[in-house]
């Protein structure tokens, strides 16, 4: 996507993850699959490819390789970005909150 992702705060992103994501996702290496897949090392990964999670066909067939730009757009409204996704999440409308969350997510990978 042709978007500019603002610089984000890992510390603020950790709080956002805890408040908005941790109910359904883990992010530590080897973390459990919950209602959603573990998100450790998500960037650079093919959408719908985390082992042991039953993704929707829409997610598996999206062709998305997760990047900060894809995630920045996806998190506005997941159901609009990948129609048919099973992810039940209203989205995060504020650009800076999404940037902070992405900075935190990017800090959790190899």
């Amino acid at each position: 996507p042709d978007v500019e992702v603002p610089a984000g705060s890992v510390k603020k992103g950790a709080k956002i993850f805890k408040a908005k994501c941790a109910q359904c996702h883990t992010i530590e290496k080897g973390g459990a699959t919950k209602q959603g897949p573990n998100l450790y090392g998500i960037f650079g990964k093919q959408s719908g490819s985390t082992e042991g999670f039953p993704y929707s066909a829409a997610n598996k067939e999206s062709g998305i390789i997760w990047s900060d730009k894809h995630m920045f757009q996806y998190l506005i409204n997941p159901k609009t970005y990948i129609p048919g996704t099973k992810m039940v999440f209203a989205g995060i409308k504020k650009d800076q909150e999404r940037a902070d969350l992405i900075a935190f997510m990017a800090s959790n990978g190899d």
Side-chain angles (χ1 to χ4, degrees):
D2 187 20
V3 295
E4 197 60 43
V5 180
S9 159
V10 172
K11 189 174 177 184
K12 287 180 183 171
K15 288 181 181 160
I16 294 166
F17 189 90
K18 189 174 180 187
K20 299 187 184 232
C21 313
Q23 183 179 341
C24 299
H25 294 278
T26 57
I27 196 156
E28 65 279 355
K29 188 171 193 167
T33 295
K34 294 167 92 175
Q35 187 173 342
N38 173 273
L39 298 175
Y40 182 85
I42 188 80
F43 295 112
K45 203 173 193 179
Q46 172 81 39
S47 177
S49 67
T50 298
E51 288 281 317
F53 187 77
Y55 288 95
S56 63
N59 212 297
K60 287 191 266 193
E61 296 163 11
S62 70
I64 291 171
I65 303 292
W66 288 114
S67 65
D68 59 345
K69 292 181 180 203
H70 273 299
M71 193 64 72
F72 191 69
Q73 294 301 101
Y74 176 75
L75 288 172
I76 296 170
N77 186 336
K79 288 198 176 295
T80 301
Y81 203 71
I82 302 180
T85 185
K86 294 192 291 186
M87 182 156 149
V88 180
F89 181 63
I92 298 172
K93 306 303 178 232
K94 292 180 181 168
D95 289 358
Q96 192 57 56
E97 284 189 9
R98 293 195 317 280
D100 292 341
L101 179 56
I102 287 165
F104 172 72
M105 291 171 74
S107 75
N108 284 272
D110 293 324

